[in-house]
Amino acid sequence: MIKSVALERSDPPSDRLSFLPVDPFAAKRDISSRVTGLGGPHPSDDPGYVFQSLDIYPVVGPVRFTLHFHQLVATTGTLTVQIRVASSYPGTVSIPIKTVTVPLPELAQNDGVFVVEIISRRNMVYTIGGRIDDETDSSAAALSLSVDPRERDVPLPNSKAVRSLAAPAVIPIEKFVPRPELATMQPALLARPVSQAMTERQRRDPLVEAWDTALHQPDGTDIERWQNAFVLQALHYYGVSTDSGSALCISGRRQPLPSYLAGRGCKVLVAAGHHSDLPEGDPGLALERLLYPDLCASTRFFDAVDQTVFENLAIPSGLSKFDFMWSIDVTAGPDARMHFPHMLRASFDYLQLGGVAVHILQYSGEIGAAPDPNSASYGRAEIERLALSLIADGQEVAQLKFDVDQPDTPGDRHIPFALIARRVR
């Protein structure tokens, strides 16, 4: 029999409570706890398991989780309590947001009461669990768990209204135009984007300024301005609607595109490649900082944009399909460089048929791989190999143009290079 405490009979009705009672064993209702006397009747496959909640949707702001091990007795053992967070977007996975430990004898001296505090963020769902990984002789009569303040009864107000955001005039094409050569050294144009490297000529293209004006971002770096302009120009050129539909963005840095697209009517899931890319490791805080209020009203933004993490660039299998996607600067570090080719191919499983992907990586300007294995840049041969892997999977890849500015000195130059492809099977 599960031993937990939620409310005493003398308590007022639950709708008058300032706190939310939570079943601490709801995720593993029939499993026995490492603390003797708690949990269900069946032994656990995890010898350290103590308790685990289901999803909790607390109010936005400071939140206090209070655990009470009733009649706790212990002379040995250490309790580790972990709170995990996940985007409320369906199919995303959780990451740890806070982990704290307490010696069980000390907890017993404190009448079995333990408090963990966090800042709850918008569009996030939380779970709390505990385990004991060392020797213990602990026992308790019951375990209660509460969240204060209690769960909100009414969802946050959302607005379906979208803003009439400008976009430069772009003449789209219906499909990728077949080319006699996959890769060339011909000069690339921003007005008719293919898979290409950034050049000085493109940085000075009036389209960059036009897209900057649409994004209200005139003060970004030259690279950021080109990257933002290229993604939007490519989407419009290849006939992707940015007034509706769903998008996936994989990037570890703040950028205005999610706010701009949400303001125009899209839904956007933004994913970092590692939780260390997030401010304070918190996807909820990262989501709040993604908002550009001059591009999208806050109510619309939090209705349309979600933030998650694809740890090691691994896309979770439960996600729905998107109408288009883009990634920027996710190849930094040796691990990301190793995982990027797999992510690139796997990402097309999450695109609708006909969906367009724009992946911006870094090009060394050299033919072969960079001699430094920790370099985030790819040589021309490596980029061609990435493109050929997509073609082998049956996707369409826009022609590769490797024209770059002449270098002042030889060596790895970390030039932004955009790889454009469409899912056709």
Side-chain angles (χ1 to χ4, degrees):
M1 179 178 180
I2 297 173
K3 297 185 179 180
S4 63
V5 174
L7 296 173
E8 302 294 339
R9 290 189 178 183
S10 59
D11 285 332
S14 60
D15 60 356
R16 299 180 188 174
L17 293 175
S18 63
F19 64 89
L20 172 70
V22 176
D23 184 350
F25 303 107
K28 299 181 179 182
R29 184 171 296 278
D30 297 326
I31 303 302
S32 62
S33 171
R34 182 75 188 277
V35 177
T36 302
L38 301 183
H42 302 298
S44 173
D45 293 334
D46 178 4
Y49 166 75
V50 175
F51 71 95
Q52 181 62 57
S53 76
L54 290 174
D55 292 346
I56 303 169
Y57 297 83
V59 296
V60 174
V63 172
R64 180 171 60 251
F65 292 82
T66 301
L67 291 161
H68 187 185
F69 290 85
H70 299 261
Q71 301 177 31
L72 176 65
V73 177
T75 61
T76 59
T78 303
L79 174 68
T80 300
V81 176
Q82 185 174 83
I83 297 177
R84 299 180 68 87
V85 60
S87 169
S88 56
Y89 191 94
T92 54
V93 297
S94 66
I95 62 170
I97 191 68
K98 190 166 189 177
T99 302
V100 291
T101 60
V102 59
L104 284 165
E106 178 182 318
L107 184 58
Q109 291 177 5
N110 194 37
D111 295 328
V113 177
F114 188 55
V115 175
V116 185
E117 296 179 333
I118 64 166
I119 302 295
S120 172
R121 308 286 181 179
R122 292 174 181 264
N123 295 17
M124 294 291 142
V125 57
Y126 298 84
T127 59
I128 182 170
R131 57 184 302 107
I132 300 171
D133 290 312
D134 54 359
E135 294 298 323
T136 185
D137 58 358
S138 58
S139 64
L143 170 62
S144 61
L145 169 62
S146 64
V147 180
D148 184 22
R150 69 172 290 113
E151 181 179 26
R152 60 180 179 267
D153 297 315
V154 179
L156 293 172
N158 287 319
S159 172
K160 299 297 183 181
V162 297
R163 302 176 65 179
S164 179
L165 295 176
V170 178
I171 301 176
I173 62 171
E174 291 286 331
K175 59 183 179 180
F176 287 7
V177 178
R179 303 289 186 182
E181 298 175 301
L182 174 62
T184 78
M185 297 299 293
Q186 297 175 354
L189 301 175
L190 184 57
R192 297 193 293 275
V194 291
S195 300
Q196 64 199 59
M198 183 186 72
T199 61
E200 179 64 27
R201 179 183 181 184
Q202 292 178 62
R203 286 203 300 266
R204 291 185 282 103
D205 192 304
L207 275 170
V208 172
E209 182 177 354
W211 282 115
D212 272 349
T213 300
L215 293 171
H216 302 170
Q217 296 294 308
D219 300 325
T221 67
D222 284 347
I223 290 178
E224 290 171 347
R225 294 170 69 234
W226 180 85
Q227 290 173 332
N228 293 334
F230 189 92
V231 170
L232 293 175
Q233 181 70 16
L235 293 176
H236 282 259
Y237 184 69
Y238 290 105
V240 177
S241 173
T242 59
D243 295 328
S244 61
S246 61
L248 172 63
C249 166
I250 307 174
S251 177
R253 67 169 176 84
R254 185 174 185 254
Q255 55 177 297
L257 298 187
S259 288
Y260 174 79
L261 292 166
R264 288 180 62 87
C266 292
K267 286 187 173 291
V268 185
L269 175 63
V270 182
H274 193 278
H275 71 267
S276 63
D277 295 331
L278 303 171
E280 301 178 26
D282 186 342
L285 180 58
L287 177 64
E288 292 175 4
R289 294 183 179 179
L290 270 179
L291 171 62
Y292 286 76
D294 55 345
L295 294 176
C296 187
S298 62
T299 50
R300 166 62 193 172
F301 178 85
F302 291 110
D303 184 52
V305 182
D306 291 280
Q307 173 81 55
T308 189
V309 177
F310 294 166
E311 200 67 47
N312 294 324
L313 300 180
I315 306 177
S317 59
L319 293 182
S320 57
K321 294 187 184 298
F322 300 90
D323 297 300
F324 61 95
M325 69 172 62
W326 77 96
S327 71
I328 297 178
D329 295 339
V330 298
T331 57
D335 290 340
R337 180 184 173 86
M338 175 179 66
H339 296 301
F340 178 76
H342 176 73
M343 184 278 288
L344 177 68
R345 297 179 66 183
S347 67
F348 285 84
D349 292 336
Y350 300 89
L351 270 181
Q352 301 280 5
L353 286 176
V356 171
V358 183
H359 294 286
I360 300 182
L361 50 142
Q362 295 183 26
Y363 173 37
S364 68
E366 305 292 325
I367 294 178
D372 180 3
N374 295 323
S375 173
S377 297
Y378 291 81
R380 172 176 171 173
E382 293 176 297
I383 295 174
E384 290 177 347
R385 193 153 50 242
L386 292 173
L388 288 171
S389 71
L390 296 179
I391 293 171
D393 290 339
Q395 318 306 346
E396 289 182 338
V397 176
Q399 187 181 37
L400 308 173
K401 291 190 174 182
F402 288 98
D403 174 58
V404 294
D405 301 320
Q406 291 300 313
D408 296 330
T409 58
D412 186 351
R413 287 183 284 158
H414 307 286
I415 306 164
F417 188 98
L419 184 63
I420 305 176
R422 188 197 301 272
R423 183 181 180 186
V424 293
R425 59 174 297 178

